[in-house]
Structure formats: C-alpha cells, structure tokens
Amino acid sequence: MKLEKLTPLTDEYLESIGFVWHTDSDNSSYVSDEIVVISEEEANAYYEATNELYDMFAEAGQYVIDNDLFHELNIPFNLVEVIKESWENEVHWHLYSRFDLAGGIDGQPIKLIEFNADTPTSLFETAIIQWAMLKKNGLDEASQFNSLYESLKDNFKRIITLDTDIEKFEEYYSTLGWKILFSSISTSAEDINTTKLLQHIASEAGFNTDFEFIENVQFNDEGIYKNDEAFEFWFKLIPWENIGIEESELALLLTQIIKDKKAIIFNPAYTLMFQSKGFMKILWDLYPNHQLLLETSFEPLVGKKQVEKRCFGREGANTKIINIDGSIELETSGEYEGHKAIYQEFVEFPKDEKGNLYQAGVFYAYEACGLGFRRGGKILNNMSKFVGHMIK
C-alpha cells in the first residue's frame, strides 16, 4: 500500500470554505495529511465495480417490491407506500449515493460492505477537500478518480431531462423555472454545510434554490412550503427511516404529497431500501457467490468469521466482529440495538505499515464519479479519518 505525505490545508482555509468539522473531539485532524496512491487500473476497477453494483441494486429493488420484502429489510411500515410510489414514477430521481467497499488496493479484490444510498456523508471531503489538497501541494489536481462536483451538477439537470441528454435542460427549464428547497437539521454544522454545498451546485446547474432548516419547513396537503412559498422540489439531508420512526404524521403527509404530485423529494423514498443493510442479504440471494459480494444472512453464518450489524446502524455503532468459534473479537455499543441484525462475512481491509485499515467510498451520481478513503480500526466509527487519493 502506497501513501504520500502532503502539506495539510490550514484550519483557517477550511473554515473559509465552510468545512468547519476539520478537528475531531480528541483535537486530532479529521482530514489526513497523507493520501493513498493508486494506479489507473485500480481507479478503473472501482469505477466498473460500482457501476455494476448499482445495476444489481436496481434489479434487486424491483424484486423487493414485487415480493413485498419490506419487513425483511426492517423498513418502517408507514414508508412502504411512499417507497412504492417513488419507485414507480421515473421523476423520482436518485441524486447521489456512496458505496463503501473493502479492497481495491494492495492486490485485494473489491467487496461491497454497504450502500449509503439516502444520506451519504463525506461529500464535501471527496468533492472539494482532497482536490484542494493536491492543488495546495503543487500536484495535478486532475490526477484523481473524482468528477463528483461536475457529476452532481449534471445529475441536478437530469431531474428535469430524466435522461443522459442534459443539453435538453435549458429548453425545458427556461419555460418552467422550477425551484428546489434544501433542508437539514439545525444542530449539525456538517449537515448544514454539506446541504449548502449541494444547494450551491444546484444553483450553478441553473435552478432557483433556497435553504431552510427542517423544523421551519411547512407541509400540508398542497405541498412543501417556506414562508408560504411552494417548492416543486425538496432536498432533505434527513434519513427517511428517521422520518418514519420519529415523525409518523410527516411520513403520511409526504406520502400524500408525492401521490398527489405536489412535490418531488430527494433522495427519493426508495433509496431507503438500498440504505438498509438487510439489502445485502437480498443481493446474496439473487447473486450468490458474486465476486463483488460477501455472504450475508439474517441468521448467524456457520463456520465463518463474520460481522453482526444493524440494518440502519450508523458510524460503526452496535457492531460485533464474531470469530469462527462464536467468540466476540470486538464489539461496539450504540443507539441502534432495536433494529434488525444482519450477519456479513468478515473481510480484511487494506492495511498500512502502522496497522491502520482503509475502506474505500465511491460516490455514484448517474455513474461512479468520486473516490475517497476512511482510515481507522477494525470497526470504523466517527473518529475515523478521511484520506484523499491520487492516481500515479
């Protein structure tokens, strides 16, 4: 595994562009001053694998709907109708997502760990920060697998054109002038600034945009509003499962808004199927022994080292690494104990000389478009570091 040390970006610079979560609670830098050096062949392999995986998810999504497997995926019952509604209508466009992958470097095969399809983090880091690090160090900032910013801009246009031909956007949009309202919770600087980055990209794409915290957005049978102004599109950096579990009245209202075609929401509700880690069990059933997949089950695997995690767990919480003999090698606590468990075959992550482990994250916006890495221990948590990359 190849790493290259760089001069880090200053905290002052990071804050000037809205990246205010640069320092972890132990006062260490969240963004590593090293980057992973990969080959063009490795970058191409990540690209091809992620595109293939997305096609598999799309096929498996239809299978889940046809066979009514929502309960198996631990999906709240009050979101099933809106998932079906968004899946059946092409206008509910999947804006962006991130695949978490083991391997791909150091000679290790690429394996799917999970798919952050609804509210993926590390967008700012992948699209902006690692690019800026190369530029700051006098390196070729284009020497990355990283077209995330431009891919997002193009994908915003596809909200209107619904196909590859984004040149149609101008003629469609100029006669309609649709608006997007962007929302996050008010208590997370990371969520606020990530949402505002997406708002900025949408504005560059040509949309009229506005921002409002979720608690101030108004919902009724006629649509989604800010200060009595209706919006045809709403982007929310709030997980769908949180809406279903914690805001049941809002879940029902959003279902009606979508059924009545009063507004379109991003990411669409069907991404909750993909977000569930239980979906990996569905994939294994449909594509057994596929080279990109790890065996996954709702029951403990027999005779294999495995990882137990929760369908909607985040940041490594409520995760166990279980040895072949059933003993627990490592375990984390958290707030997701009530969610359904899955059991996924254990896989070794690429490791550097200090013993740090690396997980690749590949963003998908119409196609695979941006690579970054997370570095940490055997269970990656909210203290893991973001590590950029360079193609040599």
Side-chain angles (χ1 to χ4, degrees):
M1 182 169 183
K2 299 175 183 175
L3 295 170
E4 189 167 315
K5 200 169 185 67
L6 300 182
T7 301
L9 301 168
T10 65
D11 292 351
E12 291 76 18
Y13 172 77
L14 292 171
E15 290 172 10
S16 75
I17 61 172
F19 190 78
V20 296
W21 57 101
H22 50 70
T23 303
D24 284 327
S25 58
D26 62 357
N27 287 322
S28 63
S29 177
Y30 162 55
V31 179
S32 171
D33 61 357
E34 295 177 309
I35 56 170
V36 178
V37 179
I38 66 170
S39 67
E40 191 167 340
E41 291 75 16
E42 288 168 331
N44 288 336
Y46 279 126
Y47 174 80
E48 296 295 341
T50 305
N51 288 335
E52 182 175 356
L53 283 168
Y54 194 87
D55 289 343
M56 292 162 64
F57 268 80
E59 287 191 28
Q62 189 63 58
Y63 179 82
V64 167
I65 288 174
D66 291 343
N67 293 277
D68 198 27
L69 300 178
F70 302 101
H71 179 70
E72 284 83 346
L73 297 182
N74 203 202
I75 287 173
F77 73 92
N78 57 359
L79 293 176
V80 170
E81 188 177 2
V82 72
I83 287 171
K84 290 179 177 178
E85 194 72 29
S86 65
W87 182 265
E88 291 164 5
N89 192 333
E90 192 179 7
V91 300
H92 297 280
W93 196 254
H94 193 178
L95 188 58
Y96 78 120
S97 51
R98 191 193 77 238
F99 286 92
D100 287 343
L101 307 168
I105 53 175
D106 207 19
Q108 296 183 19
I110 295 171
K111 297 288 184 181
L112 173 67
I113 300 299
E114 58 195 51
F115 186 27
N116 296 275
D118 179 17
T119 55
T121 54
S122 76
L123 172 74
F124 209 122
E125 299 91 298
T126 304
I128 306 293
I129 302 303
Q130 62 172 342
W131 175 87
M133 284 185 70
L134 294 191
K135 191 173 180 65
K136 160 87 173 179
N137 282 268
L139 300 169
D140 180 6
E141 61 267 25
S143 295
Q144 289 183 344
F145 169 25
N146 188 15
S147 61
L148 178 53
Y149 192 99
E150 292 301 323
S151 293
L152 280 166
K153 190 189 298 186
D154 289 346
N155 224 19
F156 271 112
K157 295 178 180 180
R158 291 190 186 95
I159 289 170
I160 306 300
T161 67
L162 299 179
D163 61 20
T164 56
D165 187 3
I166 57 174
E167 301 305 318
K168 295 178 183 176
F169 175 78
E170 299 299 334
E171 62 181 272
Y172 288 167
Y173 185 78
S174 62
T175 60
L176 297 170
W178 284 328
K179 300 166 290 185
I180 307 179
L181 179 64
F182 287 79
S183 296
S184 74
I185 60 173
S186 60
T187 54
S188 168
E190 180 178 355
D191 285 5
I192 293 166
N193 285 299
T194 298
T195 303
K196 288 188 173 181
L197 173 61
L198 285 160
Q199 180 188 358
H200 177 77
I201 295 171
S203 298
E204 281 197 355
F207 282 91
N208 295 318
T209 69
D210 204 346
F211 178 90
E212 185 55 88
F213 294 123
I214 178 65
E215 55 264 37
N216 298 326
V217 179
Q218 299 143 11
F219 307 91
N220 61 42
D221 291 341
E222 292 302 311
I224 299 173
Y225 295 82
K226 174 186 177 180
N227 298 331
D228 298 325
E229 180 183 9
F231 285 81
E232 296 88 351
F233 299 113
W234 182 47
F235 173 88
K236 45 120 204 109
L237 198 65
I238 299 104
W240 272 107
E241 71 268 22
N242 287 12
I243 293 174
I245 295 168
E246 301 168 12
E247 302 285 348
S248 57
E249 289 187 15
L250 178 58
L252 292 173
L253 193 50
L254 293 177
T255 300
Q256 199 59 48
I257 286 170
I258 287 175
K259 285 181 68 174
D260 293 343
K261 298 179 171 54
K262 299 296 185 181
I264 297 169
I265 299 171
F266 305 106
N267 273 315
Y270 65 74
T271 59
L272 183 57
M273 292 190 297
F274 298 165
Q275 184 81 21
S276 170
K277 295 176 180 62
F279 203 90
M280 263 77 74
K281 194 271 184 185
I282 306 296
L283 285 175
W284 186 258
D285 288 346
L286 295 178
Y287 305 96
N289 300 306
H290 190 283
Q291 63 180 359
L292 295 173
L293 300 180
L294 296 166
E295 182 178 357
T296 307
S297 175
F298 293 132
E299 303 295 332
L301 303 175
V302 177
K304 288 189 176 181
K305 188 173 183 178
Q306 59 201 280
V307 179
E308 176 189 325
K309 44 192 176 181
R310 303 290 156 167
C311 278
F312 291 109
R314 292 174 182 268
E315 295 184 327
N318 302 105
T319 299
K320 296 177 187 175
I321 298 177
I322 305 171
N323 293 315
I324 294 176
D325 63 4
S327 62
I328 296 174
E329 180 177 323
L330 194 61
E331 181 177 6
T332 61
S333 59
E335 59 185 274
Y336 304 102
E337 192 66 32
H339 289 280
K340 185 175 183 177
I342 67 152
Y343 300 86
Q344 185 180 62
E345 180 183 355
F346 178 84
V347 63
E348 295 283 356
F349 281 44
K351 184 184 296 186
D352 65 22
E353 292 179 349
K354 299 176 183 176
N356 297 309
L357 301 174
Y358 292 74
Q359 176 182 274
V362 181
F363 275 88
Y364 186 96
Y366 194 73
E367 64 178 351
C369 58
L371 169 68
F373 290 91
R374 289 175 71 199
R375 181 174 74 195
K378 287 188 175 181
I379 298 177
L380 293 170
N381 56 27
N382 61 2
M383 293 298 288
S384 64
K385 307 303 183 184
F386 178 80
V387 186
H389 78 285
M390 182 176 185
I391 298 172
K392 276 192 176 180

